[in-house]
Amino acid sequence: MTFTVRAITLDLDDTVWPIAPAIDRAEAALDAWLQRHVPGAAARWPLEARQRLRSQVDLDRPHLAHDMTTQRRWMLERMLEEAGEDPALAEDAYEAYFAARCEVEHYGDSVPALDRLAARVPLAALSNGNACLRRIGLIHLFRFQLGAGEHGAPKPDPGIFHAACEQLGCPPAQVLHVGDDLETDIAGAHRAGLRTCWINRNGDGPHGRHPAGLPGPDLEFPTLAALADWLDAAHPQESPRP
């Protein structure tokens, strides 16, 4: 299948890098910070208790469930206060967590593929997470990064896709959204009028992973490198953008 692609929006977590190792690293960094600076809070809030509290925070403040940064900071303030510590320390605790959360390990194909894609069309990051591409060192490959917290609503809400298209200066039908999640990325972008590409790194077939009634992707590849190959083949006469 070929169609016009004037810009690409990309999901980040589990598309450019696996999220689980980054979260494990972040929780370990937070544990170390708590044990060093507020050992009473560390004893009161081991990992399992923090995970339960994190889920409860979204239930208590559903209007902010899309904003992971705000919810995490408020959670840390609550942890410290309930442990009898100064809640003002939450900012330092968050920095320890977030710095490690941004120490991602890219999939082997990701960075070379992003280099190739960015040489052809503008890229924009479109994520429900809160990773910082500037800290990670990839912001130079992207026109901008738009997160659910910044926008005010997460994927699959069509508004976040439309906001990205407007900022890119392209109609939705000429923007390809790339991601790993069939509901938030593929169905959400499809409903917003974008073309879609499912990065299916696990080789999962449509049965069992594709929820009934959701639209399928326009493209499906196991890696971002394969997507870059497709873009080169689908638009062979186009010169790389300056």
Side-chain angles (χ1 to χ4, degrees):
M1 178 185 293
T2 61
F3 45 82
T4 299
V5 176
R6 289 183 52 201
I8 292 175
T9 57
L10 285 116
D11 175 60
L12 297 175
D13 294 332
D14 288 332
T15 298
V16 179
W17 53 72
I19 184 57
I23 296 301
D24 289 346
R25 195 159 31 247
E27 292 290 1
L30 178 58
D31 266 329
W33 187 94
L34 292 171
Q35 291 167 14
R36 186 180 308 116
H37 298 283
V38 282
R44 168 73 178 80
W45 294 105
L47 177 58
E48 289 186 2
R50 295 200 307 271
Q51 290 172 331
R52 289 193 297 270
L53 178 60
R54 182 64 186 84
S55 298
Q56 187 61 45
V57 164
D58 281 347
L59 293 175
D60 292 345
R61 295 161 34 121
H63 61 293
L64 291 173
H66 62 277
D67 191 337
M68 293 186 177
T69 297
T70 296
Q71 295 289 71
R72 175 68 62 171
R73 284 189 167 119
W74 189 74
M75 166 189 157
L76 291 168
E77 290 175 3
R78 182 169 165 180
M79 285 169 48
L80 291 164
E81 190 171 11
E82 290 189 15
E85 301 288 353
D86 183 359
L89 293 172
E91 191 58 37
D92 289 341
Y94 180 78
E95 176 57 28
Y97 174 91
F98 191 62
R101 188 260 185 267
C102 291
E103 293 176 9
V104 297
E105 298 174 359
H106 303 295
Y107 293 114
D109 66 287
S110 292
V111 176
L114 290 174
D115 281 329
R116 292 172 60 195
L117 294 170
R120 300 297 301 259
V121 296
L123 305 183
L126 198 59
S127 177
N128 284 353
N130 63 345
C132 176
L133 286 176
R134 194 168 302 280
R135 289 193 185 214
I136 291 168
L138 292 180
I139 194 62
H140 64 287
L141 296 175
F142 291 81
R143 289 288 181 88
F144 60 88
Q145 176 176 5
L146 180 60
E150 174 189 354
H151 174 69
K155 299 175 295 181
D157 184 88
I160 193 169
F161 295 103
H162 292 158
C165 292
E166 183 176 354
Q167 195 165 340
L168 286 164
C170 298
Q174 295 181 359
V175 177
L176 177 68
H177 180 69
V178 181
D180 71 291
D181 192 283
L182 285 166
E183 184 168 2
T184 59
D185 289 309
I186 303 309
H190 174 85
R191 293 181 187 127
L194 285 71
R195 293 288 192 166
T196 60
C197 175
W198 180 29
I199 300 301
N200 179 10
R201 292 188 179 274
N202 296 323
D204 296 321
H207 303 294
R209 279 214 60 190
H210 200 297
L214 290 183
D218 293 303
L219 302 170
E220 177 184 339
F221 298 113
T223 63
L224 289 174
L227 170 61
D229 291 341
W230 175 87
L231 190 63
D232 287 343
H235 303 278
Q237 303 303 317
E238 295 183 7
S239 299
R241 66 178 177 84

